[in-house]
Amino acid sequence: MSFSAEVKEELSRQCPPARHCQIAELAALLHFCGQYGLDKEGNLTIGLQTENEAVIRKCFTLLKKTFNIDTDTVLNGENKEKLIAKFGELSAPVNPLLLKNACCRRAFLRGAFLCCGSMSDPEKGYHLEFVCAQPGQAAQLVEVMRTFSIEGKTVLRKKYNVVYLKEGAGIVDLLNVMEAHVSLMNLENLRILKEMRNSINRRVNCEAANISKTVQASTRQIEDILFIKEHYGFSRLPDNLREMAEVRLEYPDAALKELGEHLNPTVGKSGVNHRLRKLSELAERIRL
């Protein structure tokens, strides 16, 4: 099962206790993947455009809880009037009056994700999106997410309006808002492991780069010192530079701090670097 399917499976098992929250989630299910129809007798029917059985089960569970409508109940008379009065045209955004409370907005986002949401495998990258048929639906999703300080972005993809999040922190916040707590913890564990791997890789790369720079610098220094020895002679060097040249040749792989500890008296890294630079400058003058 994909990570996205795991999130939906968890959300499908969530059922808010309050009726107003149940209505908000049902509104999302109907507006994002539902449609009205008529049977042969002219009675109202409800259809769901989804291949996810969990969404269908959730929708009819909420219909039963909120309006006492069974799957085999004909929607006529009072039931028909109740539904149309509550939810209106399904291609339009959900009535804002149904989303006044924060708990209802949580339920709305949960229902929307069940219908038109998806999430990439967090092992490969962070991407969560809602694919909306109508621009008004996308705008409402962005607005509702913003009430929880989650900034969704919108892009037009073919004929669909897509609301998406690409930051791991924003996706974690949304999972928390939708109350997908198990999925949230799984994602956080993956984020921690991923960050640890990235941190280790950065450290290894940094150390490798430092080692490479040290080796290159050491090689240049030794070349300069050998050139001075052959074309100028150590005996003509000041005592501090002669000692530095001899120590560098004796310890070709040593770092600056270690080289300074072999001098008498010992010298710090800046002092060692200063002497080696003087030797390199002398080698350049001799080459000229």
Side-chain angles (χ1 to χ4, degrees):
M1 185 183 293
S2 68
F3 192 87
S4 185
E6 290 176 4
V7 175
K8 289 191 176 186
E9 182 63 28
E10 181 180 1
L11 294 179
S12 70
R13 296 193 298 269
Q14 293 274 7
C15 190
R19 185 174 184 270
H20 51 83
C21 293
Q22 294 171 0
I23 290 175
E25 186 165 354
L26 178 59
L29 294 174
L30 293 177
H31 279 257
F32 283 98
C33 64
Q35 59 183 6
Y36 294 138
L38 295 174
D39 64 11
K40 294 179 181 178
E41 287 73 34
N43 296 314
L44 183 70
T45 62
I46 295 176
L48 294 174
Q49 294 181 316
T50 178
E51 297 178 356
N52 192 328
E53 292 183 5
V55 175
I56 297 173
R57 290 196 306 270
K58 185 71 172 289
C59 183
F60 287 111
T61 296
L62 292 173
L63 279 171
K64 175 65 175 177
K65 286 180 175 292
T66 54
F67 295 98
N68 199 29
I69 296 174
D70 293 312
T71 58
D72 56 353
T73 299
V74 176
L75 298 176
N76 54 21
E78 186 179 355
N79 285 335
K80 177 179 178 180
E81 291 177 2
K82 282 182 179 179
L83 284 176
I84 293 179
K86 182 64 69 174
F87 301 117
E89 177 58 49
L90 297 185
S91 61
V94 171
N95 186 342
L97 293 177
L98 300 180
L99 308 177
K100 290 190 299 182
N101 301 324
C103 55
C104 294
R105 294 194 293 274
R106 290 176 184 271
F108 167 79
L109 289 172
R110 183 164 56 242
F113 187 84
L114 279 169
C115 285
C116 63
S118 65
M119 183 175 171
S120 64
D121 182 354
E123 286 276 13
K124 300 177 181 177
Y126 302 124
H127 184 87
L128 184 149
E129 67 180 31
F130 299 82
V131 180
C132 306
Q134 302 296 331
Q137 295 173 335
Q140 186 172 47
L141 272 173
V142 171
E143 180 182 348
V144 172
M145 285 194 290
R146 189 172 290 134
T147 65
F148 295 102
S149 300
I150 300 171
E151 293 297 326
K153 296 182 180 179
T154 308
V155 65
L156 188 64
R157 184 188 299 159
K158 295 182 180 178
K159 63 177 181 178
Y160 297 103
N161 297 268
V162 181
V163 178
Y164 67 93
L165 299 171
K166 293 189 73 69
E167 297 294 331
I171 294 173
V172 166
D173 288 343
L174 182 60
L175 291 177
N176 184 51
V177 166
M178 296 189 300
E179 298 178 297
H181 300 306
V182 174
S183 298
L184 185 155
M185 292 303 300
N186 291 338
L187 175 59
E188 283 287 48
N189 289 337
L190 289 171
R191 287 181 72 204
I192 291 170
L193 289 174
K194 197 172 184 179
E195 184 57 36
M196 286 178 61
R197 286 198 295 266
N198 290 340
S199 178
I200 291 170
N201 288 337
R202 286 193 297 269
R203 188 176 302 173
V204 169
N205 291 338
C206 182
E207 289 177 355
N210 288 337
I211 290 171
S212 177
K213 287 172 60 178
T214 299
V215 170
Q216 292 175 6
S218 174
T219 300
R220 288 196 304 270
Q221 292 160 5
I222 291 172
E223 288 176 353
D224 288 339
I225 291 169
L226 290 175
F227 185 84
I228 291 171
K229 183 177 183 181
E230 181 178 352
H231 296 88
Y232 190 77
F234 284 177
S235 60
R236 300 175 61 184
L237 294 173
D239 291 343
N240 63 338
L241 295 185
R242 176 185 51 75
E243 184 186 17
M244 184 73 262
E246 292 171 347
V247 167
R248 173 43 97 191
L249 292 179
E250 186 176 355
Y251 301 99
D253 300 324
L256 297 183
K257 182 179 179 181
E258 185 181 349
L259 289 174
E261 293 171 351
H262 290 296
L263 297 172
N264 188 19
T266 59
V267 176
K269 287 174 60 176
S270 60
V272 171
N273 187 55
H274 175 75
R275 296 183 186 188
L276 289 171
R277 188 169 63 250
K278 288 291 185 181
L279 288 168
S280 295
E281 291 172 355
L282 174 60
E284 285 300 313
R285 289 199 299 273
I286 296 170
R287 289 188 179 99
L288 294 176

